[in-house]
Amino acid sequence: MKIINKHVLENRFINTLKCAIYLIAICILPILGFGQDSNNENDSKEIVAYPLNGGELRLDGIVDEELWLSIPGSGNFLMQEPKEGGEPTERTEVRITFDNQNLYISVICFDSNPSGIKAFQKRRDASLETDDSFKWIFDTFMDKRSAYFFEINPFGLRGDALISPGQSGTFNKDWDGIWKAWTHIGDFGWSAEVRIPFRSINFDSKKDVWGINFQRSIRRKNEELLWTGHRRNQGLFRPQNAGILTGLTDPSQGLGLEIIPFAITQSTKVYDMENDESISATSADLGFDINYNITSQLKASFTYNTDFAQAEVDNRQINLTRFPLRFPEQRDFFLEGSSILQFAPSSGVDPYFSRRIGLVNGMRIPINYGGRIIGNVGKNNIALLHVKTGKAENLNSESFTVGRYRRNFWKESSIGVLYTHRSTEDDILLGIPVQDRKTWGADLNLSTSEFLGNKRLQLSAFFVAHNPVSPFNDSTSISDRSVRGFRLNFPNKPWFGNVSYREFGDEYDPAVGFNQRNGFKRLQPGIGYAPLFENSKFIREIEWGIAYEYLSSLQNKLLTENLNFNLGTIRFESGDKLGVEVSRGFEFLDKDFDILNDGSVVVPTGEYVNWGYELEASSASFRKVSGSIGYEAGGFWTGNISSLVLGLTVRPIPGINLSSGYTHSKVTAENSGFDTNLFQVDLGLDFTPDISFSSNIQFDDVSEILGSNTRFRWIITPGTDIYCVYNHNWLNNTALNRRLFTIQQGAVMKIIYNYRF
């Protein structure tokens, strides 16, 4: 009898499944609606912008001017939750007017119980999960692929973002537009008046119609109301489901020129603990940014002597895995327009990762200058970025170039290419000759919102490759330096699911990208079910799901296998949450794993199977005191792991937010073990929506570093800011019997001014 190897069977199964998925995709694409260009604009809800025509507005948040009262209020919101399509319990009215420089919006959020209005936040861009809020989007190009997002609360907090739906969607809240809001709370509820300069946004000047949508949140009731797109698989963040704004005529961006000079002064002191001495440095510098609207859709920018001292610090993490951690970008220059640079979202491939520019192993590298062109030309999305960094310690100057082109086609689909180039001047960086490294890739995204009538279906595919990392590498196999894969996604409610397949070459290492793991094939299907309990006064939603991961080497050796069961994540009507998950994991180690990188706990080569479970609970964030708890336990390599995560937030009065977090992990292994602890405290004192003070304190007993980051921000006028930042780090070195010894101090003051022409 012929004996068939287990891995051969697994390989045959995966290959058969891949072929089946490809075949199904090819066969069903023509009938799924991907290529349909039907447009339901005639059926879309419409709101008219009325010209100001010399009328007067007293912008104070009170909607009582004759002009406002002469405009018909647009309402007719519908519930998204708790009852899909249900009638709202409170009335909302929206009106829009404009002149040639600004767009004005007024909203009246009627409330039968004004004392129940929830409003805690004042700081710009703070999360409004705690508050009543009013949000809206502008799809200024009517391409149904991207939009500007704005939000306010009853205290006049301003939040904004750039959104792009895609497979996973991007929500770039670090974009700060220049606009203003005024609010008022009265016995009727609360109201607001908003002024948005046309210079703050890009749009197609040839079109007098924009996409638009509104959402109101009544927090104490956990009630979400949509002007249009109220279904659970739709919503505010999908411009495909927006209504239309008509009536705009001759909006002006002026000359489209913006000059933003800045001045910065900073002082640092670094301590040498062994020699018991310190090195101090003080500097002052100037720099500037220039933005110019080539067209109303395409913007060019130049930055000189750029400094990101005002950027927030990263949240600290303790890494108990074999792979590097990914930290989010927080620098403004790299955030604006980042949605265009996004490549194959949700596919786990990052050929462009902006933190590779100006940052090396956490050390800041000076940026001498940078330029970019980002925007749209008809159906074409374009992004071109070039940055020159300076010298730092033993690192020579480098040049970075990134190019992205994406073409929209059909109703929601696109195809694009990406190119990156990194070159180093006359040096061997980090011991490897890597003076000239190039990466290129292509991605395809097919999407429809009309599958089976009104369901969403998305299919994406990608391929990325790069030249050899070292000029001495004589490998001719591009497959070893490439990644490829696809993802099919069904993001609906109550049923949802996806399946993805990826292959990463053994030598894949993009010079301006991020990659955790090489040399594998990965298949990941998942399915879930999340119904609303519309007739329940206790439970809002319960979500169940199964996710599977099968990861093998390129030679089909099983390396990782994970099976996760979501036994139930419950959202209560009160806003509280509770979830339970069980998992089974298999790992094969082809070399010893030093968990703490100090030789104290080493996992030997071998195969490991472990079961685990996770419990999570959180209380509604709109309470003055709210908290969360997560507990995870199970097998961990040769032993066990348990992890406890606690969070507590206190909001005694509006504008004061005190939150703390604690993470404890206990690991037992064969003949060894360890404990880790991570503490974090955030204090926010927000005096007005334009004046805020915050302090972030973090400590972990792996690095034994206690760090504080304190920031003061004063928005004098929109676009003109003053930042004061103070950083202090202490080292707790028990080996030298030095307790909380100061190792670094630094203070920065930065002033930014905005000139618009």
Side-chain angles (χ1 to χ4, degrees):
M1 179 181 295
K2 183 178 179 180
I3 300 177
I4 300 177
N5 184 276
K6 172 188 175 183
H7 297 304
V8 173
L9 287 174
E10 292 169 343
N11 186 35
R12 288 180 180 176
F13 169 75
I14 292 176
N15 288 335
T16 301
L17 183 58
K18 285 167 54 182
C19 292
I21 292 174
Y22 278 127
L23 182 60
I24 291 172
I26 293 172
C27 293
I28 67 175
L29 283 181
I31 63 174
L32 290 185
F34 283 117
Q36 295 179 9
D37 273 319
S38 61
N39 197 326
N40 294 326
E41 278 189 12
N42 294 332
D43 301 325
S44 297
K45 190 174 289 188
E46 179 180 330
I47 186 171
V48 178
Y50 290 82
L52 195 57
N53 286 337
E56 293 186 3
L57 290 180
R58 185 178 61 256
L59 297 175
D60 55 7
I62 303 174
V63 186
D64 59 354
E65 289 84 357
E66 182 179 348
L67 173 68
W68 286 131
L69 299 179
S70 68
I71 298 175
S74 181
N76 299 323
F77 284 65
L78 291 176
M79 280 189 189
Q80 187 180 52
E81 291 189 8
K83 184 176 182 179
E84 187 178 79
E87 289 295 323
T89 60
E90 308 289 352
R91 187 162 54 94
T92 309
E93 291 183 357
V94 184
R95 297 171 173 86
I96 298 179
T97 186
F98 69 98
D99 55 30
N100 67 330
Q101 299 292 326
N102 302 291
L103 185 72
Y104 303 90
I105 299 176
S106 74
V107 57
I108 303 177
C109 298
F110 293 97
D111 199 309
S112 56
N113 179 22
S115 62
I117 293 173
K118 299 293 182 181
F120 294 101
Q121 307 295 347
K122 292 184 179 180
R123 185 187 310 171
R124 177 157 190 163
D125 288 326
S127 170
L128 290 183
E129 291 184 359
T130 59
D131 293 14
D132 282 46
S133 63
F134 181 75
K135 309 171 184 178
W136 67 97
I137 66 167
F138 291 137
D139 176 7
T140 57
F141 297 110
M142 283 297 291
D143 61 5
K144 301 186 181 296
R145 290 172 169 84
S146 60
Y148 292 94
F149 166 87
F150 301 87
E151 65 180 347
I152 56 175
N153 75 346
F155 281 145
L157 174 148
R158 302 189 305 278
D160 45 24
L162 303 175
I163 63 175
S164 177
Q167 275 249 15
S168 62
T170 59
F171 187 70
N172 179 4
K173 203 168 185 178
D174 291 288
W175 173 76
D176 279 345
I178 295 178
W179 57 289
K180 187 71 174 176
W182 296 261
T183 58
H184 173 73
I185 301 176
D187 56 8
F188 63 92
W190 67 282
S191 60
E193 294 174 303
V194 178
R195 181 183 64 208
I196 303 175
F198 289 117
R199 295 177 181 181
S200 296
I201 54 181
N202 292 336
F203 50 86
D204 188 345
S205 58
K206 297 179 181 179
K207 292 184 177 180
D208 58 0
V209 175
W210 291 1
I212 194 169
N213 201 2
F214 310 103
Q215 178 175 342
R216 179 184 175 187
S217 300
I218 306 174
R219 191 57 62 199
R220 71 181 183 276
K221 303 178 183 180
N222 285 318
E223 188 173 324
E224 300 294 342
L225 310 176
L226 271 299
W227 185 61
T228 185
H230 66 275
R231 298 186 182 278
R232 296 173 68 208
N233 65 341
Q234 298 176 341
L236 185 71
F237 299 110
R238 286 184 51 78
Q240 297 94 322
N241 306 120
I244 58 175
L245 170 65
T246 63
L248 292 176
T249 56
D250 300 322
S252 173
Q253 291 184 323
L255 294 178
L257 178 63
E258 186 177 55
I259 300 177
I260 310 170
F262 71 83
I264 185 170
T265 178
Q266 46 192 324
S267 176
T268 60
K269 183 179 287 189
V270 179
Y271 295 83
D272 184 340
M273 185 170 56
E274 293 184 0
N275 299 319
D276 200 20
E277 60 182 18
S278 63
I279 301 174
S280 299
T282 302
S283 64
D285 215 341
L286 300 173
F288 62 85
D289 295 342
I290 298 177
N291 299 316
Y292 177 66
N293 288 326
I294 301 172
T295 70
S296 60
Q297 306 176 61
L298 192 65
K299 177 186 286 188
S301 302
F302 177 79
T303 183
Y304 173 74
N305 206 18
T306 312
D307 192 284
F308 301 107
Q310 79 275 16
E312 296 184 8
V313 297
D314 294 321
N315 286 327
R316 201 174 299 180
Q317 303 178 51
I318 296 177
N319 189 2
L320 300 180
T321 75
R322 294 173 288 157
F323 312 109
L325 299 176
R326 189 183 193 279
F327 291 89
E329 178 61 83
Q330 305 205 56
R331 299 168 296 174
D332 292 342
F333 180 77
F334 297 105
L335 288 166
E336 187 170 355
S338 58
S339 60
I340 295 179
L341 287 162
Q342 187 184 41
F343 184 90
S346 293
S347 294
V349 55
D350 291 297
Y352 168 65
F353 182 50
S354 58
R355 283 179 67 105
R356 295 294 296 272
I357 303 174
L359 289 170
V360 174
N361 297 326
M363 180 178 67
R364 292 184 178 182
I365 309 299
I367 292 180
N368 293 340
Y369 64 84
R372 68 180 178 216
I373 297 177
I374 291 180
N376 303 326
V377 180
K379 294 185 177 181
N380 306 292
N381 304 299
I382 299 171
L384 181 62
L385 175 75
H386 181 77
V387 174
K388 180 76 169 182
T389 61
K391 293 185 178 182
E393 296 185 4
N394 63 334
L395 302 176
N396 273 16
S397 176
E398 291 191 281
S399 295
F400 298 83
T401 301
V402 181
R404 174 70 160 148
Y405 171 77
R406 189 172 63 206
R407 171 76 178 183
N408 298 331
F409 66 95
W410 292 342
K411 194 174 181 181
E412 301 178 31
S413 303
S414 65
I415 187 170
V417 293
L418 175 75
Y419 171 79
T420 72
H421 183 196
R422 179 176 185 174
S423 61
T424 307
E425 286 186 2
D426 306 324
D427 200 10
I428 297 178
L429 180 66
L430 305 179
I432 304 174
V434 284
Q435 285 89 350
D436 200 45
R437 289 168 289 173
K438 303 174 183 178
T439 302
W440 55 91
D443 62 333
L444 171 68
N445 293 280
L446 302 174
S447 181
T448 179
S449 298
E450 300 172 358
F451 176 59
L452 299 179
N454 58 6
K455 303 299 182 185
R456 296 162 54 194
L457 187 66
Q458 301 164 335
L459 175 66
S460 66
F462 66 89
F463 177 85
V464 181
H466 59 78
N467 66 339
V469 171
S470 168
F472 304 128
N473 188 331
D474 57 0
S475 171
T476 59
S477 174
I478 195 173
S479 62
D480 289 338
R481 304 189 306 273
S482 69
V483 297
R484 50 272 177 196
F486 69 88
R487 188 172 191 268
L488 183 65
N489 190 30
F490 183 74
N492 297 280
K493 291 289 185 74
W495 287 101
F496 57 92
N498 62 77
V499 59
S500 65
Y501 178 78
R502 283 157 279 181
E503 291 184 3
F504 279 57
D506 285 316
E507 298 180 16
Y508 177 67
D509 183 20
V512 198
F514 177 81
N515 185 43
Q516 286 188 314
R517 187 172 187 173
N518 284 343
F520 67 84
K521 303 176 182 178
R522 175 184 285 159
L523 177 69
Q524 287 182 291
I527 189 171
Y529 179 62
L532 279 179
F533 290 76
E534 296 182 350
N535 297 321
S536 173
K537 296 182 179 180
F538 183 59
I539 295 176
R540 171 71 59 87
E541 177 190 71
I542 301 180
E543 179 179 315
W544 296 275
I546 300 174
Y548 178 68
E549 176 186 23
Y550 186 95
L551 187 149
S552 71
S553 69
L554 297 177
Q555 294 74 36
N556 302 312
K557 166 70 175 178
L558 179 61
L559 302 178
T560 299
E561 186 179 39
N562 290 310
L563 185 60
N564 296 306
F565 299 92
N566 181 354
L567 301 183
T569 299
I570 305 172
R571 283 198 299 131
F572 297 94
E573 284 293 324
S574 62
D576 305 318
K577 296 181 182 179
L578 176 65
V580 182
E581 184 174 300
V582 174
S583 62
R584 175 197 180 276
F586 166 87
E587 288 283 350
F588 170 73
L589 282 180
D590 58 357
K591 60 182 179 181
D592 293 350
F593 172 34
D594 185 354
I595 298 177
L596 296 177
N597 296 313
D598 60 4
S600 62
V601 182
V602 178
V603 182
T605 301
E607 296 184 350
Y608 300 89
V609 176
N610 289 297
W611 284 84
Y613 67 91
E614 183 176 355
L615 305 173
E616 290 186 337
S618 63
S619 60
S621 57
F622 63 76
R623 298 190 176 101
K624 288 189 174 182
V625 179
S626 61
S628 63
I629 181 172
Y631 181 75
E632 182 178 358
F636 188 72
W637 302 111
T638 60
N640 295 287
I641 185 173
S642 62
S643 179
L644 177 66
V645 180
L646 300 175
L648 177 66
T649 300
V650 180
R651 303 180 183 89
I653 61 174
I656 297 181
N657 292 271
L658 176 63
S659 62
S660 60
Y662 170 64
T663 302
H664 171 76
S665 296
K666 180 179 180 61
V667 173
T668 61
E670 188 175 317
N671 302 319
S672 60
F674 61 88
D675 289 49
T676 68
N677 296 279
L678 172 62
F679 302 87
Q680 183 171 349
V681 176
D682 286 292
L683 171 64
L685 301 176
D686 306 316
F687 306 103
T688 73
D690 296 322
I691 302 176
S692 63
F693 172 91
S694 64
S695 185
N696 174 278
I697 301 172
Q698 302 181 81
F699 174 78
D700 71 89
D701 57 6
V702 175
S703 69
E704 294 284 350
I705 293 178
L706 172 66
S708 69
N709 171 255
T710 303
R711 303 170 74 244
F712 173 78
R713 182 183 184 184
W714 179 16
I715 304 175
I716 301 174
T717 60
T720 300
D721 295 10
I722 293 179
Y723 291 92
C724 295
V725 182
Y726 176 70
N727 294 309
H728 198 140
N729 291 320
W730 298 264
L731 177 64
N732 189 43
N733 193 320
T734 55
L736 298 178
N737 197 28
R738 303 292 294 270
R739 298 288 182 179
L740 295 180
F741 178 84
T742 296
I743 57 174
Q744 185 269 337
Q745 289 175 281
V748 176
M749 182 175 180
K750 185 173 183 180
I751 302 175
I752 304 171
Y753 193 81
N754 189 293
Y755 293 92
R756 283 182 160 186
F757 304 92

